[in-house]
Amino acid sequence: MCRQVLCAAFARGRITVLRRAVAEHAAYEGLTGRRLEDFVLAVNEITTNAVVHGGGHGRLRMWSHGGRLWCEVTDEGPGLPPGWMGDMRPPTGFEGCGRGLWLTRMLCDQITIVSGPRGTTVTFAALRD
């Protein structure tokens, strides 16, 4: 059974409040310790990307399903540059581009990225403890 946990709009200046709400809801849903910290960090990275690169705002949805806590972040930006999504290597040096998505791939059990000229949706999950 799929159960909605949190649904929120966000923008610049509201990510800290959203991150706290995510941490609270994720803990209530059974994430603890390192899994909780990693999930909240992933949410922070992806929501920050939406604000910085995806039009300044976005929507977050969290739900519980199949022993996992899921998060979907959607923005209305111009989409990701062609060709970068296949690269699983960490960004080098001081590159800012791609670090948040790479980190989310490392921190979460599953991630899906759908991007086009009308925006990007990143969906990721963490196994519940």
Side-chain angles (χ1 to χ4, degrees):
M1 178 164 79
C2 182
R3 189 168 51 79
Q4 183 97 356
V5 173
L6 177 65
C7 187
F10 62 88
R12 187 177 311 274
R14 302 296 299 163
I15 291 177
T16 300
V17 172
L18 179 63
R19 187 175 56 237
R20 287 182 188 135
V22 165
E24 181 180 311
H25 284 63
Y28 181 80
E29 290 298 315
L31 289 185
T32 61
R34 183 65 180 251
R35 282 201 181 276
L36 175 60
E37 292 170 9
D38 289 352
F39 189 77
V40 173
L41 179 55
V43 168
N44 184 71
E45 290 295 323
I46 300 304
T47 55
T48 298
N49 279 354
V51 168
V52 172
H53 305 290
H57 61 278
R59 293 208 47 86
L60 176 139
R61 208 169 54 96
M62 274 177 39
W63 67 97
S64 181
H65 179 72
R68 288 186 165 104
L69 184 60
W70 293 86
C71 184
E72 176 185 85
V73 176
T74 303
D75 68 46
E76 297 175 359
L80 297 166
W84 81 268
M85 286 177 36
D87 192 359
M88 296 293 286
R89 294 172 299 165
T92 59
F94 294 104
E95 287 179 25
C97 188
R99 189 171 303 280
L101 289 168
W102 175 81
L103 186 59
T104 299
R105 281 186 174 133
M106 299 300 107
L107 296 174
C108 294
D109 298 306
Q110 187 171 341
I111 181 171
T112 304
I113 303 166
V114 178
S115 186
R118 294 184 181 185
T120 299
T121 298
V122 180
T123 307
F124 51 98
L127 286 171
R128 290 185 294 191
D129 296 329

